[in-house]
Amino acid sequence: MYDLHCHSDQSDGILSPEQLVSRAKANNVAVLALTDHDTVKGVARAKAQAGAEGISLVAGIEFSSQWQGRGVHIVGLAIDLDSPVLFQAIAHQGQVREKRARQIAGRLERLGIPGALEGARRYASGDQLGRPHFARFLIDEGHAGNMNQAFKRYLGAGKPGDIKQDWPDFGTVVDWITEAGGVAVLAHPAKYKMTRSKLCAMVQHFADSGGRAIEIVCSKQSPDITANLVKIASKFGLHGSCGSDFHSPGQPWQELGGFGSLPAGVPPVWELWQ
Ligand code: MN
Ligand code: MN
Ligand code: MN
């Protein structure tokens, strides 16, 4: 069983890379790709643990990008961790996140809440600062009673902390992955809530840009979605990938290894690096 999409505490997951690999092994995953958001910090640790547990670990990453103004995620699989292009790409993504974190902190300060940048950083175990870290700061400082309130009052859609991140164009991200020796995979195509024609236009552009695969199965999903994505992959000559998008225990709809297998009729993405 292949699970080619999951997160550790080096991005927004809960488990350490070691805990993640052990859980994958217990769930009968034989080949796991760690794909943290815009970082590969956990990969070496995951690889060491995978060696000890007797499973395979694929070096991966999930890059944020945009296509026609929409946020789109692109997974890179079997990337070369020593690639200078990868190193620069990750540095760039870090700057985008940092800029946004500063803007959120600036807006909170104007609302009379100082110190949010340093405050939020206390809750970030990796080096990525996101809105959940600001939410925890706001709760601890008494500005919100819980996560929900923090988003409703300060961080959610239309609120002061709702700042769009200026992610790179999707073609740029595909180039980064390809130049780092990896395979570019369009993540969770069904989750962008696009019409079928819009989705096809995006997948076409992805294939034209050098993308090689799309996620046919991501988390638990309905058979209709799977069947539709098989058709789209075939139409554009793409390989298929599958993964849980696991972030933490207690979310059975995205458990490690807890999704259907990749359907026949689409070539599996791992053919591209085996
Ligand atoms: Mn995530
Ligand atoms: Mn994603
Ligand atoms: Mn993900």
Side-chain angles (χ1 to χ4, degrees):
M1 146 73 81
Y2 285 75
D3 188 335
L4 301 176
H5 187 156
C6 67
H7 299 272
S8 76
D9 65 1
Q10 299 303 298
S11 63
D12 59 347
I14 295 293
L15 301 184
S16 68
E18 290 84 1
Q19 290 170 325
L20 188 74
V21 169
S22 297
R23 191 178 180 94
K25 160 95 176 177
N27 288 359
N28 293 316
V29 174
V31 181
L32 181 71
L34 176 58
T35 56
D36 274 316
H37 295 284
D38 302 302
T39 184
V40 291
K41 270 201 169 161
V43 173
R45 284 168 60 190
K47 207 157 216 159
Q49 184 70 20
E53 305 247 11
I55 71 172
S56 290
L57 196 284
V58 175
I61 192 164
E62 182 175 18
F63 278 125
S64 299
S65 76
Q66 54 182 322
W67 179 75
Q68 296 192 352
R70 297 169 191 242
V72 172
H73 287 173
I74 300 179
V75 165
L77 295 176
I79 44 175
D80 171 9
L81 295 176
D82 297 322
S83 157
V85 172
L86 181 69
F87 186 80
Q88 284 160 19
I90 290 169
H92 178 86
Q93 299 295 78
Q95 284 160 13
V96 174
R97 276 180 203 281
E98 182 71 21
K99 183 175 163 206
R100 182 221 202 189
R102 286 179 185 285
Q103 286 172 324
I104 293 174
R107 290 203 180 168
L108 290 173
E109 181 144 19
R110 283 197 286 284
L111 293 174
I113 305 174
L117 192 63
E118 298 70 30
R121 228 187 277 284
R122 287 202 296 270
Y123 302 100
S125 54
D127 47 13
Q128 292 179 0
L129 266 192
R131 285 183 295 173
H133 305 120
F134 283 99
R136 289 177 63 183
F137 164 77
L138 290 167
I139 294 165
D140 269 20
E141 296 285 304
H143 299 291
N146 53 46
M147 277 278 171
N148 222 347
Q149 267 183 15
F151 274 84
K152 249 183 155 164
R153 290 182 189 164
Y154 299 104
L155 302 167
K159 300 300 166 189
D162 175 27
I163 293 172
K164 296 282 170 282
Q165 309 200 68
D166 193 14
W167 295 122
D169 180 69
F170 142 122
T172 301
V173 171
V174 172
D175 286 346
W176 286 343
I177 293 168
T178 309
E179 286 167 31
V183 175
V185 182
L186 181 63
H188 40 65
K191 292 191 183 152
Y192 303 118
K193 298 190 166 67
M194 292 178 182
T195 60
R196 193 173 196 282
S197 60
K198 193 96 188 165
L199 182 58
C200 283
M202 181 170 76
V203 173
Q204 164 105 67
H205 188 184
F206 180 71
D208 290 347
S209 305
R212 304 296 307 277
I214 65 173
E215 285 181 352
I216 300 282
V217 186
C218 187
S219 318
K220 284 210 169 88
Q221 65 187 32
S222 84
D224 297 4
I225 291 177
T226 307
N228 187 35
L229 292 173
V230 168
K231 279 189 205 149
I232 290 176
S234 307
K235 183 171 176 183
F236 297 103
L238 294 166
H239 286 62
S241 187
C242 57
S244 58
D245 206 2
F246 175 86
H247 283 72
S248 80
Q251 298 180 328
W253 61 93
Q254 44 183 190
E255 182 54 74
L256 286 163
F259 48 88
S261 51
L262 192 64
V266 57
V269 67
W270 49 88
E271 279 183 9
L272 296 171
W273 66 76
Q274 272 169 359

